[in-house]
């Protein structure tokens, strides 16, 4: 008695976690993109490295948000090639990887610029603190508004989380710019501007490494952190009629889309349909797993022992 069952989410649930927040990503892109131009021009006019580093980081925000938005659009398109059995949802994870690389690139640029300015004598650099303060404060307002837009999606989607962390890091940068402007204006020392830029660079790098670890976990097909394979296996063994569980695999296609495959051995005379219904219901209700492939096998079935890996 070999039987297979594929449990899938409904059409509404099939929309990826990132796709549900597409409109918010679009608004975030418009706000960040518009203010980036203002901040870049002001940074060049004032000579502020902190403001320039924040503008560079905001450019990274624009790229990251555009990639995140584009990934949600492409991921929702049906596969017409027949070659992508899971669709294009993994594009959202690659967009998150791009966010990591951009954040690391920005942090390296900012740190090198700060070190170069210190070596060249930061005290000699002129920084106009008043427009720096005004633009820094406006940037803080814009970033806070965008964070509010993306906060809910960041809890559900790795793709949106990548964009959210980019904006969070830029928000910290805006706070640094405001602080640097106040300190430069009060003391006349531009070392404050350089020091804040250096701190922004280090902070961005740390955030990138944290997100990068999560992205590699998905790409490496590790078991999602919120799922315990041992617990899932024990719950399956407790399903009436099941005598053994083997070849249990858990992984994530993209955020909000966890997948399970498993073989269930059942006792002789057990109702395979009843076992499948009970197992699928348990997996959905207890572990939140909607896309499951379950193979039912009689107790004396041993073909799986012939597999080479």
């Amino acid at each position: 008695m070999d039987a297979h069952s594929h449990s899938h989410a409904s059409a509404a649930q099939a929309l990826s976690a990132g796709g549900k927040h597409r409109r918010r990503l679009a608004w975030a892109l418009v706000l960040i993109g518009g203010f980036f131009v203002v901040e870049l021009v002001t940074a060049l006019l004032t000579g502020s490295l902190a403001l320039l580093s924040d503008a560079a980081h905001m450019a990274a925000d624009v790229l990251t948000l555009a990639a995140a938005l584009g990934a949600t659009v492409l991921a929702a398109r049906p596969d017409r090639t027949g070659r992508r059995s899971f669709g294009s949802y993994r594009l959202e994870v690659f967009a998150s990887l791009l966010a990591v690389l951009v954040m690391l690139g920005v942090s390296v640029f900012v740190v090198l610029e700060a070190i170069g300015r210190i070596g060249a004598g930061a005290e000699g650099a002129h920084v106009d603190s008043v427009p720096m303060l005004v633009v820094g404060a406006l940037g803080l307002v814009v970033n806070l508004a965008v964070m509010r837009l993306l906060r809910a999606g960041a809890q559900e989607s790795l793709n949106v989380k990548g964009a959210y962390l980019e904006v969070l890091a830029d928000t910290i940068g805006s706070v640094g710019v405001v602080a640097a402007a106040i300190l430069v204006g009060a003391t006349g020392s531009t070392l404050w501007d350089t020091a804040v830029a250096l701190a922004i660079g280090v902070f961005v790098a740390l955030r990138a490494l944290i997100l990068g670890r999560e992205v590699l976990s998905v790409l490496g097909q590790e078991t999602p952190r919120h799922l315990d394979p041992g617990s899932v296996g024990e719950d399956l063994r407790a399903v009436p009629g099941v005598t053994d569980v083997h070849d249990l695999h858990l992984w994530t296609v993209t955020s909000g889309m966890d997948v399970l495959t498993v073989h269930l051995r059942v006792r002789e005379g057990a109702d395979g349909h009843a076992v499948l219904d009970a197992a699928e219901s348990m997996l959905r209700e207890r572990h939140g797993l909607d896309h499951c492939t379950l193979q039912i096998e009689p107790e004396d079935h041993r073909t799986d022992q012939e597999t080479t890996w």
Side-chain angles (χ1 to χ4, degrees):
M1 177 184 62
D2 267 7
H4 298 265
S5 173
H6 300 269
S7 173
H8 300 274
S10 66
Q13 290 172 313
L15 184 66
S16 69
K20 293 188 294 184
H21 300 278
R22 190 177 302 147
R23 180 173 296 180
R24 289 175 178 267
L25 281 170
W27 275 109
L29 179 59
V30 170
L31 289 171
I32 294 292
F35 192 76
F36 159 69
V37 177
V38 175
E39 187 168 44
L40 178 61
V41 171
T42 307
L44 295 175
L45 293 175
T46 61
S48 167
L49 181 58
L51 198 58
L52 182 62
S53 68
D54 198 46
H57 192 209
M58 192 161 275
D61 290 350
V62 173
L63 178 59
T64 302
L65 286 165
L69 180 60
T72 64
V73 173
L74 292 175
R77 291 184 177 180
D79 174 39
R80 304 187 188 282
T81 67
R83 304 291 298 175
R84 301 185 183 95
S85 60
F86 280 104
S88 301
Y89 294 113
R90 187 54 68 85
L91 286 174
E92 295 187 20
V93 182
F94 284 110
S96 300
L97 180 60
L98 176 62
V100 171
L101 296 177
V102 169
M103 290 170 75
L104 287 174
V106 167
S107 64
V108 170
F109 166 77
V110 170
V111 169
L112 291 178
E113 283 293 311
I115 293 174
R117 180 169 289 191
I118 292 173
E123 289 290 357
H126 173 71
V127 175
D128 193 345
S129 62
V130 175
M132 176 183 170
L133 176 61
V134 173
V135 173
L138 290 175
L140 180 59
V141 172
V142 171
N143 281 316
L144 288 173
V146 173
M147 282 181 63
R148 184 178 179 83
L149 280 173
L150 301 180
R151 184 180 292 114
Q155 303 298 319
E156 302 176 8
S157 166
L158 193 61
N159 182 31
V160 179
K161 184 176 183 179
Y164 178 83
L165 288 179
E166 261 289 290
V167 178
L168 171 62
D170 200 43
T171 302
I172 301 297
S174 294
V175 172
V177 168
V178 171
I182 294 173
L183 290 169
V184 169
T187 66
S189 174
T190 57
L191 279 174
W192 291 111
D193 178 67
T194 306
V196 168
L198 190 60
I200 292 173
V202 173
F203 176 78
V204 171
L206 291 175
R207 299 306 302 173
L209 292 175
I210 292 172
L211 178 61
R213 186 176 182 279
E214 295 185 43
V215 170
L216 293 178
S217 175
V218 173
L219 294 178
Q221 293 188 305
E222 295 180 14
T223 298
R225 291 186 179 183
H226 61 279
L227 293 173
D228 178 10
S231 177
V232 173
E234 287 302 314
D235 287 342
L236 285 169
R237 288 184 183 89
V239 172
V242 175
T243 60
D244 189 28
V245 175
H246 65 98
D247 287 304
L248 171 63
H249 301 287
L250 289 159
W251 72 97
T252 298
V253 175
T254 189
S255 300
M257 289 187 174
D258 299 322
V259 180
L260 172 145
T261 62
V262 67
H263 292 211
L264 304 177
R265 286 207 179 102
V266 300
R267 68 171 182 270
E268 186 177 353
D271 184 344
H273 288 291
V275 171
L276 285 173
D277 289 343
E280 289 174 356
S281 178
M282 181 277 295
L283 290 169
R284 184 179 302 108
E285 295 173 7
R286 192 168 299 178
H287 299 284
L289 290 164
D290 288 307
H291 193 121
C292 304
T293 301
L294 305 131
Q295 177 167 309
I296 302 298
E297 305 168 347
E299 284 187 290
D300 59 355
H301 180 78
R302 293 292 182 268
T303 303
D304 56 280
Q305 295 179 357
E306 300 174 5
T307 58
T308 58
W309 63 279

